[in-house]
Amino acid sequence: MNIILLGPPGAGKGTQATRLVQSRGMVQLSTGDMLRAAVAAGSPVGLQAKAVMDAGELVSDAIVSGIIGERLDQLSGGQGAIFDGYPRTQAQAEALDRLLEARGRRLDHVIELTVDENALVARIVGRFTCAVCGEGYHDSFKRPKVDNTCDVCGSHEFKRRPDDNEETVRTRMAEYRAKTAPILPYYEQRKLVSRVDGMADIDDVGAAIDAVLNG
Ligand code: ADP
Ligand code: ADP
Ligand code: ZN
């Protein structure tokens, strides 16, 4: 099974992708995570992407579709992919179709996480992750069970993204509205889209996604 999680910044794509990795053994393909790794490594892609990401704008279609293609080649045939934060433009949606077809895969579901825009800024500015294992947390909505200690790996080191500030979030939301939301009809025509209420509690969002995937 190959699925896309679609939604604006802070909708819960990463949180739900992690859940699906744990419950179904699927593989999360997050272009945001891949680009941040490239920036941290100082690779040519990272050097090109850094300023664009810091501004909250979109990295070029060729770069992101290139890294997705490389990752797909590393999967075994039986492993399902969760596309998290990709595609974000019509050109990327069309590139993904070609990448999947060339590998004998097809898209099974596009899950749109619908959220109230006013909640997104609060979600983004409260977001942090474990610096060791990457587990995601939130200052108000998902605190570690023991203060300052990762639930998963026990680490005491956490980090915040430089682009998770109110000003950049506004740009990212505008990019979503202008370039990403318009790709939904492309998938609606093919009857692939299911809408899930992303404002529900994290576990309830997960249950709603499971219902779509099992249905
Ligand atoms: P969020 O989870 O908050 O939506 P991501 O981690 O997916 O953010 O993306 C962070 C940044 O990385 C984006 O603002 C953009 O600059 C870049 N990026 C990630 N995925 C893509 C993509 N598919 N196309 C273009 N740029 C991307
Ligand atoms: P995205 O990948 O779509 O940008 P994340 O999964 O990183 O979004 O979620 C953004 C922030 O909101 C994180 O701090 C996460 O813990 C929190 N969060 C995710 N889903 C929910 C939810 N259903 N209710 C409240 N907070 C949530
Ligand atoms: Zn951890």
Side-chain angles (χ1 to χ4, degrees), residues 141-189:
F141 309 131
K142 191 189 166 201
R143 301 187 55 83
K145 293 192 179 81
V146 178
D147 254 4
N148 205 40
T149 306
C150 176
D151 297 351
V152 176
C153 76
S155 141
H156 304 297
E157 261 184 81
F158 297 90
K159 58 183 184 186
R160 290 179 191 259
R161 284 168 45 179
D163 60 339
D164 276 352
N165 58 75
E166 177 155 2
E167 195 200 332
T168 308
V169 171
R170 299 272 174 210
T171 308
R172 285 155 61 198
M173 278 160 53
E175 289 281 69
Y176 181 82
R177 248 182 270 120
K179 296 172 186 161
T180 309
I183 68 181
L184 274 160
Y186 180 69
Y187 293 121
E188 269 158 0
Q189 283 169 11

mmCIF file of all heavy atoms in Angstrom, residues 141-189:
data_model
loop_
_atom_site.group_PDB
_atom_site.id
_atom_site.type_symbol
_atom_site.label_atom_id
_atom_site.label_comp_id
_atom_site.label_asym_id
_atom_site.label_seq_id
_atom_site.Cartn_x
_atom_site.Cartn_y
_atom_site.Cartn_z
ATOM 1 N N PHE A 141 0.296 19.802 23.744
ATOM 2 C CA PHE A 141 -0.563 18.696 23.300
ATOM 3 C C PHE A 141 0.085 17.329 23.402
ATOM 4 O O PHE A 141 -0.597 16.310 23.370
ATOM 5 C CB PHE A 141 -1.012 18.929 21.851
ATOM 6 C CG PHE A 141 -1.598 20.291 21.625
ATOM 7 C CD1 PHE A 141 -1.193 21.087 20.566
ATOM 8 C CD2 PHE A 141 -2.557 20.797 22.503
ATOM 9 C CE1 PHE A 141 -1.726 22.349 20.361
ATOM 10 C CE2 PHE A 141 -3.101 22.063 22.311
ATOM 11 C CZ PHE A 141 -2.677 22.847 21.236
ATOM 12 N N LYS A 142 1.409 17.284 23.487
ATOM 13 C CA LYS A 142 2.067 15.967 23.601
ATOM 14 C C LYS A 142 3.386 16.140 24.339
ATOM 15 O O LYS A 142 4.463 16.112 23.749
ATOM 16 C CB LYS A 142 2.278 15.352 22.208
ATOM 17 C CG LYS A 142 2.700 13.877 22.276
ATOM 18 C CD LYS A 142 3.124 13.324 20.939
ATOM 19 C CE LYS A 142 3.855 11.998 21.145
ATOM 20 N NZ LYS A 142 4.710 11.643 20.012
ATOM 21 N N ARG A 143 3.279 16.292 25.656
ATOM 22 C CA ARG A 143 4.485 16.467 26.459
ATOM 23 C C ARG A 143 5.095 15.091 26.751
ATOM 24 O O ARG A 143 4.369 14.100 26.826
ATOM 25 C CB ARG A 143 4.128 17.159 27.784
ATOM 26 C CG ARG A 143 3.466 18.546 27.594
ATOM 27 C CD ARG A 143 3.308 19.250 28.933
ATOM 28 N NE ARG A 143 4.589 19.343 29.628
ATOM 29 C CZ ARG A 143 5.504 20.291 29.405
ATOM 30 N NH1 ARG A 143 5.270 21.241 28.523
ATOM 31 N NH2 ARG A 143 6.629 20.287 30.084
ATOM 32 N N PRO A 144 6.411 15.023 26.932
ATOM 33 C CA PRO A 144 6.994 13.742 27.365
ATOM 34 C C PRO A 144 6.362 13.326 28.700
ATOM 35 O O PRO A 144 6.002 14.181 29.501
ATOM 36 C CB PRO A 144 8.477 14.080 27.546
ATOM 37 C CG PRO A 144 8.714 15.296 26.725
ATOM 38 C CD PRO A 144 7.431 16.068 26.750
ATOM 39 N N LYS A 145 6.222 12.005 28.931
ATOM 40 C CA LYS A 145 5.568 11.527 30.159
ATOM 41 C C LYS A 145 6.364 11.942 31.388
ATOM 42 O O LYS A 145 5.795 12.301 32.423
ATOM 43 C CB LYS A 145 5.410 10.001 30.109
ATOM 44 C CG LYS A 145 4.426 9.584 29.022
ATOM 45 C CD LYS A 145 4.021 8.114 29.154
ATOM 46 C CE LYS A 145 3.012 7.728 28.082
ATOM 47 N NZ LYS A 145 3.675 7.433 26.771
ATOM 48 N N VAL A 146 7.687 11.881 31.286
ATOM 49 C CA VAL A 146 8.561 12.384 32.349
ATOM 50 C C VAL A 146 9.229 13.640 31.805
ATOM 51 O O VAL A 146 9.788 13.613 30.704
ATOM 52 C CB VAL A 146 9.644 11.340 32.730
ATOM 53 C CG1 VAL A 146 10.582 11.901 33.794
ATOM 54 C CG2 VAL A 146 8.986 10.049 33.188
ATOM 55 N N ASP A 147 9.158 14.723 32.561
ATOM 56 C CA ASP A 147 9.681 15.998 32.079
ATOM 57 C C ASP A 147 11.076 15.867 31.490
ATOM 58 O O ASP A 147 11.954 15.236 32.091
ATOM 59 C CB ASP A 147 9.734 17.006 33.243
ATOM 60 C CG ASP A 147 8.627 18.037 33.108
ATOM 61 O OD1 ASP A 147 7.811 17.896 32.168
ATOM 62 O OD2 ASP A 147 8.581 18.978 33.928
ATOM 63 N N ASN A 148 11.269 16.466 30.323
ATOM 64 C CA ASN A 148 12.598 16.561 29.730
ATOM 65 C C ASN A 148 13.258 15.200 29.444
ATOM 66 O O ASN A 148 14.472 15.087 29.421
ATOM 67 C CB ASN A 148 13.505 17.416 30.631
ATOM 68 C CG ASN A 148 14.623 18.053 29.827
ATOM 69 O OD1 ASN A 148 14.413 18.497 28.705
ATOM 70 N ND2 ASN A 148 15.836 18.051 30.383
ATOM 71 N N THR A 149 12.436 14.164 29.251
ATOM 72 C CA THR A 149 12.963 12.819 28.973
ATOM 73 C C THR A 149 12.151 12.204 27.835
ATOM 74 O O THR A 149 10.925 12.138 27.931
ATOM 75 C CB THR A 149 12.834 11.929 30.237
ATOM 76 O OG1 THR A 149 13.470 12.608 31.327
ATOM 77 C CG2 THR A 149 13.469 10.569 30.030
ATOM 78 N N CYS A 150 12.820 11.770 26.779
ATOM 79 C CA CYS A 150 12.089 11.204 25.642
ATOM 80 C C CYS A 150 11.410 9.888 26.033
ATOM 81 O O CYS A 150 12.052 9.000 26.597
ATOM 82 C CB CYS A 150 13.052 10.967 24.475
ATOM 83 S SG CYS A 150 12.262 10.158 23.064
ATOM 84 N N ASP A 151 10.115 9.771 25.725
ATOM 85 C CA ASP A 151 9.354 8.553 26.036
ATOM 86 C C ASP A 151 9.967 7.335 25.349
ATOM 87 O O ASP A 151 9.876 6.216 25.862
ATOM 88 C CB ASP A 151 7.910 8.655 25.493
ATOM 89 C CG ASP A 151 7.118 9.773 26.145
ATOM 90 O OD1 ASP A 151 7.604 10.365 27.139
ATOM 91 O OD2 ASP A 151 6.005 10.056 25.646
ATOM 92 N N VAL A 152 10.515 7.543 24.166
ATOM 93 C CA VAL A 152 10.946 6.411 23.338
ATOM 94 C C VAL A 152 12.354 5.960 23.685
ATOM 95 O O VAL A 152 12.608 4.777 23.874
ATOM 96 C CB VAL A 152 10.854 6.773 21.835
ATOM 97 C CG1 VAL A 152 11.386 5.652 20.961
ATOM 98 C CG2 VAL A 152 9.402 7.105 21.471
ATOM 99 N N CYS A 153 13.290 6.920 23.792
ATOM 100 C CA CYS A 153 14.698 6.512 23.920
ATOM 101 C C CYS A 153 15.349 7.007 25.210
ATOM 102 O O CYS A 153 16.509 6.691 25.480
ATOM 103 C CB CYS A 153 15.506 6.963 22.709
ATOM 104 S SG CYS A 153 15.899 8.716 22.712
ATOM 105 N N GLY A 154 14.628 7.807 26.010
ATOM 106 C CA GLY A 154 15.183 8.241 27.295
ATOM 107 C C GLY A 154 16.135 9.421 27.205
ATOM 108 O O GLY A 154 16.664 9.869 28.223
ATOM 109 N N SER A 155 16.351 9.935 26.008
ATOM 110 C CA SER A 155 17.285 11.063 25.863
ATOM 111 C C SER A 155 16.753 12.321 26.564
ATOM 112 O O SER A 155 15.546 12.471 26.773
ATOM 113 C CB SER A 155 17.507 11.334 24.365
ATOM 114 O OG SER A 155 17.576 12.714 24.095
ATOM 115 N N HIS A 156 17.667 13.208 26.948
ATOM 116 C CA HIS A 156 17.263 14.481 27.558
ATOM 117 C C HIS A 156 17.500 15.647 26.610
ATOM 118 O O HIS A 156 17.423 16.797 27.002
ATOM 119 C CB HIS A 156 18.041 14.718 28.857
ATOM 120 C CG HIS A 156 17.891 13.592 29.841
ATOM 121 N ND1 HIS A 156 16.678 13.245 30.394
ATOM 122 C CD2 HIS A 156 18.784 12.714 30.335
ATOM 123 C CE1 HIS A 156 16.846 12.201 31.196
ATOM 124 N NE2 HIS A 156 18.126 11.859 31.177
ATOM 125 N N GLU A 157 17.843 15.322 25.377
ATOM 126 C CA GLU A 157 18.139 16.392 24.406
ATOM 127 C C GLU A 157 17.013 16.521 23.401
ATOM 128 O O GLU A 157 16.611 15.540 22.773
ATOM 129 C CB GLU A 157 19.404 16.026 23.634
ATOM 130 C CG GLU A 157 20.651 16.698 24.149
ATOM 131 C CD GLU A 157 21.814 16.331 23.252
ATOM 132 O OE1 GLU A 157 21.938 16.957 22.189
ATOM 133 O OE2 GLU A 157 22.547 15.388 23.616
ATOM 134 N N PHE A 158 16.542 17.745 23.244
ATOM 135 C CA PHE A 158 15.451 18.002 22.303
ATOM 136 C C PHE A 158 15.854 19.132 21.377
ATOM 137 O O PHE A 158 16.781 19.884 21.678
ATOM 138 C CB PHE A 158 14.180 18.354 23.077
ATOM 139 C CG PHE A 158 13.694 17.225 23.939
ATOM 140 C CD1 PHE A 158 14.129 17.106 25.256
ATOM 141 C CD2 PHE A 158 12.841 16.258 23.428
ATOM 142 C CE1 PHE A 158 13.713 16.042 26.050
ATOM 143 C CE2 PHE A 158 12.423 15.192 24.214
ATOM 144 C CZ PHE A 158 12.855 15.086 25.530
ATOM 145 N N LYS A 159 15.152 19.240 20.238
ATOM 146 C CA LYS A 159 15.468 20.364 19.355
ATOM 147 C C LYS A 159 14.213 20.940 18.715
ATOM 148 O O LYS A 159 13.170 20.279 18.662
ATOM 149 C CB LYS A 159 16.490 19.952 18.292
ATOM 150 C CG LYS A 159 16.059 18.804 17.424
ATOM 151 C CD LYS A 159 17.172 18.414 16.448
ATOM 152 C CE LYS A 159 16.650 17.328 15.522
ATOM 153 N NZ LYS A 159 17.665 16.776 14.644
ATOM 154 N N ARG A 160 14.351 22.175 18.271
ATOM 155 C CA ARG A 160 13.262 22.870 17.585
ATOM 156 C C ARG A 160 13.751 23.292 16.214
ATOM 157 O O ARG A 160 14.925 23.614 16.040
ATOM 158 C CB ARG A 160 12.825 24.110 18.389
ATOM 159 C CG ARG A 160 12.125 23.711 19.678
ATOM 160 C CD ARG A 160 11.693 24.882 20.540
ATOM 161 N NE ARG A 160 11.281 24.384 21.846
ATOM 162 C CZ ARG A 160 10.025 24.206 22.236
ATOM 163 N NH1 ARG A 160 9.018 24.569 21.442
ATOM 164 N NH2 ARG A 160 9.744 23.703 23.426
ATOM 165 N N ARG A 161 12.843 23.309 15.235
ATOM 166 C CA ARG A 161 13.225 23.690 13.876
ATOM 167 C C ARG A 161 13.335 25.205 13.745
ATOM 168 O O ARG A 161 12.482 25.931 14.248
ATOM 169 C CB ARG A 161 12.179 23.171 12.892
ATOM 170 C CG ARG A 161 12.316 21.682 12.643
ATOM 171 C CD ARG A 161 11.139 21.097 11.917
ATOM 172 N NE ARG A 161 10.669 21.885 10.782
ATOM 173 C CZ ARG A 161 9.653 21.526 10.009
ATOM 174 N NH1 ARG A 161 9.007 20.390 10.247
ATOM 175 N NH2 ARG A 161 9.264 22.280 9.010
ATOM 176 N N PRO A 162 14.363 25.674 13.025
ATOM 177 C CA PRO A 162 14.506 27.131 12.856
ATOM 178 C C PRO A 162 13.331 27.754 12.107
ATOM 179 O O PRO A 162 13.037 28.933 12.305
ATOM 180 C CB PRO A 162 15.806 27.279 12.043
ATOM 181 C CG PRO A 162 16.114 25.931 11.498
ATOM 182 C CD PRO A 162 15.465 24.926 12.389
ATOM 183 N N ASP A 163 12.643 26.956 11.268
ATOM 184 C CA ASP A 163 11.518 27.538 10.506
ATOM 185 C C ASP A 163 10.197 27.439 11.262
ATOM 186 O O ASP A 163 9.165 27.846 10.743
ATOM 187 C CB ASP A 163 11.399 26.878 9.120
ATOM 188 C CG ASP A 163 11.156 25.372 9.179
ATOM 189 O OD1 ASP A 163 11.465 24.739 10.216
ATOM 190 O OD2 ASP A 163 10.651 24.820 8.183
ATOM 191 N N ASP A 164 10.206 26.927 12.495
ATOM 192 C CA ASP A 164 8.962 26.845 13.265
ATOM 193 C C ASP A 164 8.724 28.115 14.077
ATOM 194 O O ASP A 164 8.617 28.089 15.314
ATOM 195 C CB ASP A 164 8.966 25.607 14.185
ATOM 196 C CG ASP A 164 8.524 24.348 13.435
ATOM 197 O OD1 ASP A 164 8.080 24.458 12.275
ATOM 198 O OD2 ASP A 164 8.617 23.256 14.025
ATOM 199 N N ASN A 165 8.660 29.245 13.392
ATOM 200 C CA ASN A 165 8.328 30.502 14.060
ATOM 201 C C ASN A 165 7.130 31.095 13.341
ATOM 202 O O ASN A 165 6.834 30.728 12.198
ATOM 203 C CB ASN A 165 9.524 31.453 14.029
ATOM 204 C CG ASN A 165 9.958 31.740 12.610
ATOM 205 O OD1 ASN A 165 9.309 32.504 11.890
ATOM 206 N ND2 ASN A 165 11.040 31.101 12.172
ATOM 207 N N GLU A 166 6.440 32.004 14.024
ATOM 208 C CA GLU A 166 5.153 32.465 13.507
ATOM 209 C C GLU A 166 5.258 33.072 12.105
ATOM 210 O O GLU A 166 4.424 32.810 11.238
ATOM 211 C CB GLU A 166 4.514 33.459 14.484
ATOM 212 C CG GLU A 166 3.212 33.996 13.928
ATOM 213 C CD GLU A 166 2.233 34.478 14.989
ATOM 214 O OE1 GLU A 166 2.568 34.445 16.189
ATOM 215 O OE2 GLU A 166 1.129 34.887 14.576
ATOM 216 N N GLU A 167 6.308 33.860 11.866
ATOM 217 C CA GLU A 167 6.396 34.544 10.576
ATOM 218 C C GLU A 167 6.562 33.540 9.425
ATOM 219 O O GLU A 167 5.882 33.622 8.405
ATOM 220 C CB GLU A 167 7.588 35.512 10.610
ATOM 221 C CG GLU A 167 7.552 36.518 9.485
ATOM 222 C CD GLU A 167 8.927 37.120 9.235
ATOM 223 O OE1 GLU A 167 9.735 37.195 10.177
ATOM 224 O OE2 GLU A 167 9.181 37.479 8.082
ATOM 225 N N THR A 168 7.478 32.587 9.611
ATOM 226 C CA THR A 168 7.715 31.601 8.551
ATOM 227 C C THR A 168 6.489 30.711 8.351
ATOM 228 O O THR A 168 6.165 30.327 7.230
ATOM 229 C CB THR A 168 8.963 30.758 8.884
ATOM 230 O OG1 THR A 168 10.021 31.656 9.174
ATOM 231 C CG2 THR A 168 9.368 29.878 7.729
ATOM 232 N N VAL A 169 5.802 30.413 9.453
ATOM 233 C CA VAL A 169 4.605 29.579 9.336
ATOM 234 C C VAL A 169 3.566 30.243 8.443
ATOM 235 O O VAL A 169 2.907 29.568 7.648
ATOM 236 C CB VAL A 169 3.999 29.309 10.726
ATOM 237 C CG1 VAL A 169 2.649 28.626 10.587
ATOM 238 C CG2 VAL A 169 4.925 28.442 11.538
ATOM 239 N N ARG A 170 3.438 31.547 8.554
ATOM 240 C CA ARG A 170 2.461 32.254 7.698
ATOM 241 C C ARG A 170 2.817 32.052 6.219
ATOM 242 O O ARG A 170 1.943 31.818 5.400
ATOM 243 C CB ARG A 170 2.437 33.745 8.019
ATOM 244 C CG ARG A 170 2.047 34.058 9.445
ATOM 245 C CD ARG A 170 0.550 34.187 9.627
ATOM 246 N NE ARG A 170 0.240 34.336 11.058
ATOM 247 C CZ ARG A 170 -0.877 33.926 11.636
ATOM 248 N NH1 ARG A 170 -1.818 33.331 10.919
ATOM 249 N NH2 ARG A 170 -1.072 34.107 12.915
ATOM 250 N N THR A 171 4.097 32.159 5.885
ATOM 251 C CA THR A 171 4.529 31.939 4.496
ATOM 252 C C THR A 171 4.250 30.500 4.089
ATOM 253 O O THR A 171 3.743 30.230 2.993
ATOM 254 C CB THR A 171 6.044 32.220 4.347
ATOM 255 O OG1 THR A 171 6.319 33.505 4.881
ATOM 256 C CG2 THR A 171 6.480 32.155 2.888
ATOM 257 N N ARG A 172 4.554 29.548 4.985
ATOM 258 C CA ARG A 172 4.338 28.131 4.644
ATOM 259 C C ARG A 172 2.860 27.843 4.427
ATOM 260 O O ARG A 172 2.485 27.066 3.547
ATOM 261 C CB ARG A 172 4.921 27.245 5.746
ATOM 262 C CG ARG A 172 6.463 27.200 5.669
ATOM 263 C CD ARG A 172 7.139 26.880 6.987
ATOM 264 N NE ARG A 172 6.774 25.600 7.531
ATOM 265 C CZ ARG A 172 6.945 25.244 8.803
ATOM 266 N NH1 ARG A 172 7.504 26.096 9.662
ATOM 267 N NH2 ARG A 172 6.593 24.063 9.214
ATOM 268 N N MET A 173 2.008 28.484 5.247
ATOM 269 C CA MET A 173 0.561 28.283 5.062
ATOM 270 C C MET A 173 0.119 28.868 3.724
ATOM 271 O O MET A 173 -0.711 28.272 3.016
ATOM 272 C CB MET A 173 -0.208 28.917 6.227
ATOM 273 C CG MET A 173 -0.236 27.998 7.451
ATOM 274 S SD MET A 173 -0.602 28.807 9.034
ATOM 275 C CE MET A 173 -2.068 29.665 8.686
ATOM 276 N N ALA A 174 0.674 30.016 3.355
ATOM 277 C CA ALA A 174 0.307 30.645 2.073
ATOM 278 C C ALA A 174 0.771 29.765 0.909
ATOM 279 O O ALA A 174 0.055 29.602 -0.090
ATOM 280 C CB ALA A 174 0.922 32.035 1.980
ATOM 281 N N GLU A 175 1.964 29.180 1.030
ATOM 282 C CA GLU A 175 2.464 28.261 -0.001
ATOM 283 C C GLU A 175 1.521 27.055 -0.125
ATOM 284 O O GLU A 175 1.234 26.597 -1.230
ATOM 285 C CB GLU A 175 3.878 27.765 0.355
ATOM 286 C CG GLU A 175 4.968 28.811 0.233
ATOM 287 C CD GLU A 175 5.399 29.029 -1.210
ATOM 288 O OE1 GLU A 175 4.595 29.576 -1.981
ATOM 289 O OE2 GLU A 175 6.532 28.661 -1.556
ATOM 290 N N TYR A 176 1.066 26.550 0.998
ATOM 291 C CA TYR A 176 0.151 25.398 0.973
ATOM 292 C C TYR A 176 -1.129 25.755 0.219
ATOM 293 O O TYR A 176 -1.578 25.014 -0.654
ATOM 294 C CB TYR A 176 -0.190 24.929 2.401
ATOM 295 C CG TYR A 176 -1.101 23.729 2.377
ATOM 296 C CD1 TYR A 176 -0.586 22.451 2.195
ATOM 297 C CD2 TYR A 176 -2.489 23.871 2.475
ATOM 298 C CE1 TYR A 176 -1.414 21.344 2.120
ATOM 299 C CE2 TYR A 176 -3.326 22.775 2.398
ATOM 300 C CZ TYR A 176 -2.783 21.511 2.225
ATOM 301 O OH TYR A 176 -3.603 20.415 2.130
ATOM 302 N N ARG A 177 -1.692 26.909 0.579
ATOM 303 C CA ARG A 177 -2.950 27.323 -0.053
ATOM 304 C C ARG A 177 -2.766 27.533 -1.558
ATOM 305 O O ARG A 177 -3.604 27.118 -2.354
ATOM 306 C CB ARG A 177 -3.426 28.639 0.571
ATOM 307 C CG ARG A 177 -4.696 28.486 1.382
ATOM 308 C CD ARG A 177 -5.142 29.831 1.939
ATOM 309 N NE ARG A 177 -4.559 30.084 3.236
ATOM 310 C CZ ARG A 177 -3.761 31.114 3.543
ATOM 311 N NH1 ARG A 177 -3.447 32.024 2.652
ATOM 312 N NH2 ARG A 177 -3.288 31.246 4.761
ATOM 313 N N ALA A 178 -1.656 28.172 -1.936
ATOM 314 C CA ALA A 178 -1.467 28.547 -3.342
ATOM 315 C C ALA A 178 -1.041 27.366 -4.212
ATOM 316 O O ALA A 178 -1.455 27.261 -5.364
ATOM 317 C CB ALA A 178 -0.419 29.659 -3.441
ATOM 318 N N LYS A 179 -0.207 26.484 -3.684
ATOM 319 C CA LYS A 179 0.410 25.468 -4.552
ATOM 320 C C LYS A 179 0.029 24.028 -4.218
ATOM 321 O O LYS A 179 0.039 23.170 -5.096
ATOM 322 C CB LYS A 179 1.939 25.593 -4.485
ATOM 323 C CG LYS A 179 2.415 26.926 -5.047
ATOM 324 C CD LYS A 179 3.887 27.154 -4.827
ATOM 325 C CE LYS A 179 4.291 28.560 -5.267
ATOM 326 N NZ LYS A 179 5.579 28.951 -4.672
ATOM 327 N N THR A 180 -0.283 23.734 -2.965
ATOM 328 C CA THR A 180 -0.513 22.333 -2.588
ATOM 329 C C THR A 180 -2.002 21.980 -2.577
ATOM 330 O O THR A 180 -2.403 20.980 -3.189
ATOM 331 C CB THR A 180 0.132 22.027 -1.222
ATOM 332 O OG1 THR A 180 1.497 22.453 -1.239
ATOM 333 C CG2 THR A 180 0.074 20.539 -0.920
ATOM 334 N N ALA A 181 -2.825 22.794 -1.937
ATOM 335 C CA ALA A 181 -4.264 22.492 -1.921
ATOM 336 C C ALA A 181 -4.820 22.313 -3.344
ATOM 337 O O ALA A 181 -5.662 21.436 -3.568
ATOM 338 C CB ALA A 181 -5.029 23.568 -1.147
ATOM 339 N N PRO A 182 -4.340 23.076 -4.342
ATOM 340 C CA PRO A 182 -4.881 22.916 -5.705
ATOM 341 C C PRO A 182 -4.604 21.560 -6.360
ATOM 342 O O PRO A 182 -5.161 21.286 -7.415
ATOM 343 C CB PRO A 182 -4.208 24.052 -6.498
ATOM 344 C CG PRO A 182 -3.858 25.083 -5.474
ATOM 345 C CD PRO A 182 -3.494 24.299 -4.242
ATOM 346 N N ILE A 183 -3.751 20.719 -5.766
ATOM 347 C CA ILE A 183 -3.543 19.398 -6.392
ATOM 348 C C ILE A 183 -4.614 18.391 -5.969
ATOM 349 O O ILE A 183 -4.707 17.308 -6.546
ATOM 350 C CB ILE A 183 -2.122 18.800 -6.151
ATOM 351 C CG1 ILE A 183 -1.889 18.426 -4.690
ATOM 352 C CG2 ILE A 183 -1.053 19.766 -6.634
ATOM 353 C CD1 ILE A 183 -0.481 17.862 -4.424
ATOM 354 N N LEU A 184 -5.450 18.746 -4.986
ATOM 355 C CA LEU A 184 -6.468 17.782 -4.534
ATOM 356 C C LEU A 184 -7.403 17.304 -5.650
ATOM 357 O O LEU A 184 -7.682 16.104 -5.735
ATOM 358 C CB LEU A 184 -7.266 18.357 -3.352
ATOM 359 C CG LEU A 184 -6.594 18.091 -2.000
ATOM 360 C CD1 LEU A 184 -7.100 19.061 -0.939
ATOM 361 C CD2 LEU A 184 -6.827 16.648 -1.556
ATOM 362 N N PRO A 185 -7.889 18.201 -6.524
ATOM 363 C CA PRO A 185 -8.783 17.729 -7.590
ATOM 364 C C PRO A 185 -8.152 16.656 -8.485
ATOM 365 O O PRO A 185 -8.850 15.768 -8.983
ATOM 366 C CB PRO A 185 -9.086 19.004 -8.391
ATOM 367 C CG PRO A 185 -8.864 20.129 -7.425
ATOM 368 C CD PRO A 185 -7.758 19.671 -6.512
ATOM 369 N N TYR A 186 -6.844 16.724 -8.667
ATOM 370 C CA TYR A 186 -6.117 15.733 -9.475
ATOM 371 C C TYR A 186 -6.350 14.328 -8.913
ATOM 372 O O TYR A 186 -6.510 13.352 -9.653
ATOM 373 C CB TYR A 186 -4.641 16.119 -9.440
ATOM 374 C CG TYR A 186 -3.683 15.251 -10.210
ATOM 375 C CD1 TYR A 186 -3.694 15.219 -11.599
ATOM 376 C CD2 TYR A 186 -2.724 14.483 -9.535
ATOM 377 C CE1 TYR A 186 -2.778 14.444 -12.303
ATOM 378 C CE2 TYR A 186 -1.802 13.715 -10.229
ATOM 379 C CZ TYR A 186 -1.838 13.692 -11.618
ATOM 380 O OH TYR A 186 -0.919 12.930 -12.297
ATOM 381 N N TYR A 187 -6.372 14.240 -7.584
ATOM 382 C CA TYR A 187 -6.590 12.940 -6.946
ATOM 383 C C TYR A 187 -8.077 12.647 -6.747
ATOM 384 O O TYR A 187 -8.485 11.492 -6.730
ATOM 385 C CB TYR A 187 -5.864 12.903 -5.595
ATOM 386 C CG TYR A 187 -4.357 12.947 -5.744
ATOM 387 C CD1 TYR A 187 -3.608 13.954 -5.160
ATOM 388 C CD2 TYR A 187 -3.691 11.969 -6.474
ATOM 389 C CE1 TYR A 187 -2.227 13.995 -5.284
ATOM 390 C CE2 TYR A 187 -2.302 12.003 -6.613
ATOM 391 C CZ TYR A 187 -1.581 13.020 -6.014
ATOM 392 O OH TYR A 187 -0.220 13.051 -6.153
ATOM 393 N N GLU A 188 -8.880 13.710 -6.587
ATOM 394 C CA GLU A 188 -10.328 13.505 -6.417
ATOM 395 C C GLU A 188 -10.917 12.849 -7.661
ATOM 396 O O GLU A 188 -11.747 11.950 -7.561
ATOM 397 C CB GLU A 188 -11.027 14.841 -6.126
ATOM 398 C CG GLU A 188 -11.120 15.114 -4.631
ATOM 399 C CD GLU A 188 -11.307 16.581 -4.288
ATOM 400 O OE1 GLU A 188 -11.365 17.437 -5.211
ATOM 401 O OE2 GLU A 188 -11.386 16.881 -3.079
ATOM 402 N N GLN A 189 -10.455 13.299 -8.837
ATOM 403 C CA GLN A 189 -10.912 12.690 -10.096
ATOM 404 C C GLN A 189 -10.725 11.185 -10.079
ATOM 405 O O GLN A 189 -11.473 10.457 -10.706
ATOM 406 C CB GLN A 189 -10.061 13.197 -11.271
ATOM 407 C CG GLN A 189 -10.379 14.569 -11.765
ATOM 408 C CD GLN A 189 -9.289 15.041 -12.749
ATOM 409 O OE1 GLN A 189 -8.438 14.257 -13.184
ATOM 410 N NE2 GLN A 189 -9.320 16.316 -13.086
#
